[in-house]
Amino acid sequence: MNKVFIVARTEYLISVTSKAFLIGIVMMPIFMGGAILVQYLTHDQIDIAPRRIALVDQTGRLFDKLQTRAEIHNQTEIFDGEGEQRKQTGAPFILENYIPEDHGDERADVVLTRRVSDGDLFAFAIIDDGIFEATSAGSIRYHSQTPSYQTLANWLRNAVNEEIKSVRIAELQLSNETVAALSRHAPLRQFGLVETDIQGGVQDAKEENRILTFAIPFAGLMLMFMMIMSVAPAMLNNVLEEKIQKISEFLISSVTPFQLMAGKLLGAVCVGLTLSTLYLGAAFGLAVYFDVSDSVPVSLYAWFVFYLLVSLVTFGSIFSAIGAACSEIRDAQSLMTPVMLLVIIPMMCIGPILDSPSSTFSRAISLFPPATPMLMFVRIAIPPGPAVWEIVLGSVLTVLFAIGCVWAAGKVFRIGILSQGQSPSIAKLATWVLAK
Amino acid sequence: MSISGVTLAAFPSKLFGVFVFSKGSPLSVIQLSDVTKNYGKHTAVEKLSLSVPAGSLYGFIGPNGSGKTTTIRMILRIIHPDSGTIEVLGNLAASSANDRLGYLPEERGLYKKLSVRRMLGYYAALKGMASNDARIAVEGWLQKFELTQWSSKKIESLSKGMSQKVQFIASIIAHPKILILDEPFSGLDPVNTEAIREAILHLQDSGTTIIFSTHDMSTAERMCDSVFMIHQGVKVLDGTLDEIKSQFGTGSIQLRWDGAREQLASIREVHTVIDCEGYQELQFDGDPQRVLHQLITKGSVQRFEIAQPSLHDIFIRIAGPKAMDSSDSQSQRIGA
């Protein structure tokens, strides 16, 4: 056991004193901060050129009202700030009333399509004649060659529908005040649960911060994913490099292959925990600074560390076995692909789980051992969290899976570290696992 | 076949390995009994029994495939035999025995990013040395090999020769009871070769048992005490170098005389005549005195010398020329 710690200590010190580690610590926040900064700096770097749209108003009643709305939009909605700080941040809309009869026999959509293609127009829209009737299937047909730009289409849809609603309300002869009173939306505020202490005292529920509710599990998931991606593939490279450089045979004359693998694994796990401790510490500091530290219970930090530990052991052992089994990085990459899928599965499932953390799907996928560390953490981080039996079952299964991975990896490592030549197939690896 | 002090098993003419034994220590530090190792359907080592006396300098010679690396790895317990038993330093537990073993593999590698001192300290720690003892040993060996000024440098900044000396130090840093050297002089210049050769002999003098695996027959002949040969995993020969040479030594005569070459063919014991510059080499079976007697009756003999074969000659005689080609080409590849 002592030799495992000697290997682990050396591996750990080699990693944390390397320039790559120190650069990595600094670079990750720089990249993340940089991404936010770039978004901030570029948020107003948008095309504010006027968008000219031709409207074929088959009702004959809407264009003037839409023109008025466009003028209001152009005077108010496309500017931010006041006084000298006032700055244009959106594109003005220029409306053209296109009356087909004034342009000969050629179809209006053909003529207007040509004009859009020529750059004379940004888009054109045809408003159906029967659009005012509640039972009508009439619609607004919006044509453009830049469907990714939705601002104009959204404005047009809202403006037309507002006008239609006004007309329908007018037909009912309701006053504007009545309409306003009828349309008033009641605000919805979201709270957690009321807490009752042992003495029967009741503490009012706290209002939920919607951003934090989603940000914490998502940030935890991302951090765990980044730690796995930082540590596990590095283990593969480390083992493969030592094998290629013929260091391994020298080492295993002093330690058993399993001791060597276990030492490397322990060293790598410690590197991952060191990195995450630094980031969690920084996150906690920021939480205290912004007075939201109460939003993250201490138990959540403990769950994060526990699940990170399990996932690093799981994927670290699998990747080190692949490194030992292969003789070239190219062969290792082909064996890495199925394992990478296991790492990525939780990232692909995050949407449905954030949306519905207690659904059957969320429960099932979070009990799938390779995905449990990341997904169970996400479910724990979203109040009220999963049932206790789910946490216990998931934790037991994933710990057993991690132990199984270490055992199987040790068997592969023992044979693979001395093998040369073509890398083994997955079937061959299975025979190594089952070999005495 | 059995010769005094030498066991000669049946040996087909392909691939061989050779071990060399010490002359007389009664204690055996390595004992293999009926050891067999299979890789799938291929038998790498078959019912191999071997006893290495304490303090010997024990040569292990042969081309690829004879089972020598498998045997070394089993002694080091890197791999385990399918059947048979291996004892290293008596009944010592595997981990304790390995701490007393030093190993210099044929293909070497060091942590390029570590400093010389730190890397040697790491290997010493893996061998169970206390840090103070390790520090003293590291400084001592670095001084002996004139590497002190490089102790804080990273391995990647060393020349190839210096790296090989550092690797050699790593294999002996923990004062091993048994030192296994696989091609220790491969790629070394003559100065470094001599430095390491002296260190090996010094270790032997201080009681370390040395197993010496090499393709270089002349080096083995110069350094080793005894020989052990295996062919395709099967033991075919073991004994001291002198005993083996005397067994194969009567088969060749260097001759200068005034008789005709055709007359040599009429001597029943002579089966091959090789013309060399200034003399002829006769290869024969039987009593050399009978050959001499017949030569004298056929002409005037100026030179008659019974040549003792080199280890190289014995190896070729047993394994055949093809095995030697394989061995040589392997040596060149490793040395390149």
Side-chain angles (χ1 to χ4, degrees):
Chain A
M1 197 62 188
N2 188 37
K3 290 188 178 181
V4 173
F5 290 120
I6 292 169
V7 174
R9 188 185 62 193
T10 303
E11 293 288 334
Y12 178 78
L13 290 175
I14 288 174
S15 291
V16 298
T17 55
S18 69
K19 283 179 192 162
F21 180 83
L22 298 173
I23 290 170
I25 287 177
V26 178
M27 289 310 285
M28 199 183 291
I30 286 178
F31 277 131
M32 293 180 75
I36 295 167
L37 185 67
V38 167
Q39 283 191 10
Y40 174 76
L41 293 175
T42 58
H43 83 283
D44 57 353
Q45 300 299 311
I46 52 176
D47 185 5
I48 55 171
R51 303 287 194 268
R52 189 176 183 85
I53 179 169
L55 294 177
V56 182
D57 179 15
Q58 292 180 346
T59 68
R61 298 157 62 189
L62 278 170
F63 182 80
D64 290 343
K65 290 174 176 163
L66 293 175
Q67 180 80 300
T68 305
R69 283 181 177 271
E71 284 167 9
I72 294 168
H73 167 84
N74 295 345
Q75 286 166 12
T76 59
E77 295 172 15
I78 60 173
F79 293 97
D80 275 346
E82 297 293 333
E84 290 184 0
Q85 301 291 317
R86 187 175 163 85
K87 188 179 178 185
Q88 187 177 343
T89 57
F93 301 145
I94 311 297
L95 274 53
E96 174 187 325
N97 190 12
Y98 186 88
I99 300 169
E101 292 74 20
D102 295 347
H103 295 83
D105 294 335
E106 198 172 6
R107 278 176 49 169
D109 53 357
V110 174
V111 174
L112 293 172
T113 294
R114 193 161 52 236
R115 288 181 59 191
V116 171
S117 300
D118 292 344
D120 182 32
L121 290 173
F122 181 80
F124 69 92
I126 301 169
I127 304 170
D128 287 348
D129 188 18
I131 202 161
F132 286 104
E133 295 166 25
T135 55
S136 166
S139 64
I140 312 157
R141 283 170 286 157
Y142 177 85
H143 300 258
S144 89
Q145 59 182 2
T146 52
S148 58
Y149 182 78
Q150 284 294 299
T151 312
L152 178 55
N154 289 339
W155 175 85
L156 184 64
R157 183 185 62 227
N158 292 336
V160 170
N161 279 295
E162 284 295 318
E163 289 304 327
I164 291 169
K165 193 165 79 175
S166 299
V167 169
R168 288 174 185 164
I169 289 169
E171 285 171 357
L172 292 172
Q173 296 183 328
L174 298 174
S175 68
N176 285 341
E177 291 75 18
T178 307
V179 171
L182 289 172
S183 329
R184 181 180 171 275
H185 288 274
L188 182 133
R189 296 165 64 196
Q190 294 195 27
F191 291 83
L193 298 178
V194 173
E195 292 178 11
T196 308
D197 58 30
I198 306 168
Q199 286 77 33
V202 175
Q203 284 191 325
D204 289 340
K206 291 176 185 169
E207 187 157 9
E208 275 185 12
N209 183 328
R210 295 295 296 161
I211 295 173
L212 281 179
T213 302
F214 288 96
I216 290 166
F218 187 73
L221 177 83
M222 286 302 295
L223 184 56
M224 208 180 289
F225 178 75
M226 283 192 295
M227 289 302 106
I228 294 168
M229 293 306 292
S230 301
V231 170
M235 271 212 76
L236 184 150
N237 288 332
N238 177 297
V239 172
L240 184 57
E241 197 176 305
E242 286 186 10
K243 184 176 171 180
I244 291 170
Q245 292 180 3
K246 311 295 178 191
I247 299 171
S248 305
E249 185 163 353
F250 196 47
L251 288 175
I252 57 177
S253 68
S254 302
V255 295
T256 65
F258 186 81
Q259 284 175 325
L260 180 61
M261 191 198 79
K264 286 181 172 297
L265 191 57
L266 184 59
V269 167
C270 289
V271 171
L273 290 177
T274 304
L275 261 178
S276 55
T277 302
L278 288 171
Y279 292 134
L280 285 178
F284 182 75
L286 285 173
V288 169
Y289 181 78
F290 288 109
D291 199 22
V292 289
S293 57
D294 288 350
S295 304
V296 188
V298 176
S299 62
L300 201 58
Y301 290 102
W303 280 118
F304 180 86
V305 172
F306 168 71
Y307 283 127
L308 177 65
L309 188 69
V310 175
S311 54
L312 288 179
V313 169
T314 303
F315 291 109
S317 59
I318 295 173
F319 276 84
S320 64
I322 293 172
C326 298
S327 300
E328 288 183 41
I329 190 73
R330 190 178 53 225
D331 297 332
Q333 279 167 344
S334 64
L335 281 174
M336 269 172 68
T337 307
V339 185
M340 288 303 294
L341 282 175
L342 290 178
V343 183
I344 292 168
I345 281 174
M347 301 299 291
M348 295 191 296
C349 299
I350 183 68
I353 288 179
L354 283 174
D355 195 40
S356 181
S358 298
S359 68
T360 306
F361 171 76
S362 299
R363 287 178 168 178
I365 195 70
S366 64
L367 290 174
F368 177 55
T372 297
M374 284 194 257
L375 296 184
M376 194 62 84
F377 170 78
V378 168
R379 291 186 63 207
I380 290 171
I382 303 172
V388 173
W389 71 266
E390 289 179 66
I391 298 175
V392 172
L393 179 62
S395 301
V396 169
L397 287 177
T398 196
V399 167
L400 289 176
F401 182 72
I403 292 169
C405 286
V406 172
W407 173 80
K411 303 273 270 182
V412 171
F413 196 94
R414 180 172 62 101
I415 297 173
I417 199 72
L418 292 172
S419 69
Q420 296 293 335
Q422 199 175 5
S423 69
S425 61
I426 290 177
K428 186 74 177 172
L429 290 178
T431 63
W432 288 3
V433 171
L434 298 173
K436 286 183 181 175
Chain B
M1 204 182 302
S2 182
I3 306 116
S4 60
V6 179
T7 305
L8 191 60
F11 40 84
S13 60
K14 283 187 182 174
L15 306 173
F16 282 80
V18 182
F19 276 148
V20 185
F21 270 68
S22 166
K23 285 175 189 166
S25 176
L27 293 172
S28 169
V29 289
I30 298 173
Q31 183 79 45
L32 278 71
S33 304
D34 285 333
V35 169
T36 297
K37 179 67 186 176
N38 299 304
Y39 292 116
K41 291 176 181 173
H42 171 67
T43 301
V45 174
E46 188 173 5
K47 290 190 176 299
L48 177 62
S49 293
L50 172 64
S51 179
V52 181
S56 60
L57 207 166
Y58 182 99
F60 184 169
I61 307 164
N64 291 335
S66 61
K68 62 176 183 175
T69 301
T70 300
T71 306
I72 287 175
R73 285 177 175 176
M74 285 193 291
I75 291 169
L76 289 162
R77 312 191 198 214
I78 293 171
I79 55 175
H80 301 288
D82 296 326
S83 63
T85 57
I86 298 175
E87 281 183 18
V88 179
L89 296 169
N91 289 318
L92 215 56
S95 59
S96 303
N98 268 24
D99 285 350
R100 289 163 174 76
L101 279 170
Y103 178 44
L104 182 68
E106 181 181 359
E107 293 183 276
R108 289 149 211 171
L110 297 165
Y111 288 101
K112 292 180 182 172
K113 298 290 179 189
L114 285 186
S115 71
V116 171
R117 185 183 285 122
R118 192 169 165 192
M119 202 216 65
L120 290 173
Y122 177 42
Y123 286 130
L126 287 179
K127 287 292 183 188
M129 281 187 95
S131 57
N132 273 344
D133 295 343
R135 194 164 49 248
I136 292 165
V138 167
E139 296 306 331
W141 280 110
L142 288 177
Q143 199 170 11
K144 189 172 179 65
F145 280 98
E146 298 174 346
L147 288 169
T148 305
Q149 68 273 30
W150 295 90
S151 60
S152 341
K153 304 280 185 194
K154 286 186 177 176
I155 298 291
E156 63 189 357
S157 66
L158 304 185
S159 69
K160 187 181 175 187
M162 284 193 275
S163 296
Q164 287 183 307
K165 285 198 283 190
V166 170
Q167 180 111 37
F168 179 76
I169 293 171
S171 67
I172 59 172
I173 192 71
H175 309 301
K177 291 275 185 196
I178 301 168
L179 177 61
I180 299 175
L181 304 168
D182 199 351
E183 295 289 356
F185 304 124
S186 167
L188 285 175
D189 61 40
V191 175
N192 287 326
T193 297
E194 192 53 28
I196 288 184
R197 196 181 75 83
E198 279 179 17
I200 292 169
L201 295 174
H202 172 77
L203 284 165
Q204 192 198 13
D205 287 344
S206 63
T208 302
T209 304
I210 293 160
I211 292 175
F212 185 88
S213 172
T214 182
H215 295 96
D216 185 349
M217 306 291 172
S218 60
T219 304
E221 199 167 349
R222 200 166 65 246
M223 292 186 66
C224 299
D225 307 329
S226 309
V227 175
F228 173 82
M229 272 191 178
I230 55 172
H231 166 57
Q232 292 180 339
V234 179
K235 183 167 83 172
V236 291
L237 174 70
D238 68 50
T240 67
L241 206 55
D242 288 343
E243 288 165 344
I244 289 167
K245 280 193 172 186
S246 64
Q247 160 60 20
F248 289 89
T250 57
S252 174
I253 293 167
Q254 289 180 0
L255 171 72
R256 192 161 66 239
W257 74 321
D258 59 5
R261 194 178 194 282
E262 292 71 30
Q263 291 177 293
L264 295 172
S266 64
I267 301 173
R268 192 162 52 87
E269 285 80 1
V270 174
H271 55 77
T272 308
V273 179
I274 301 166
D275 293 316
C276 301
E277 196 172 340
Y279 66 94
Q280 290 168 312
E281 185 174 312
L282 313 183
Q283 290 184 352
F284 69 102
D285 295 317
D287 184 358
Q289 297 305 322
R290 279 181 56 83
V291 177
L292 177 60
H293 180 74
Q294 292 180 67
L295 284 169
I296 290 169
T297 61
K298 296 176 192 297
S300 169
V301 176
Q302 284 98 46
R303 178 182 170 191
F304 182 89
E305 185 177 335
I306 300 171
Q308 205 177 37
S310 65
L311 199 54
H312 180 272
D313 297 332
I314 295 171
F315 183 84
I316 289 177
R317 209 176 296 177
I318 296 172
K322 281 186 182 175
M324 200 59 238
D325 291 345
S326 166
S327 177
D328 286 346
S329 63
Q330 177 68 4
S331 296
Q332 284 163 9
R333 186 182 68 77
I334 291 160

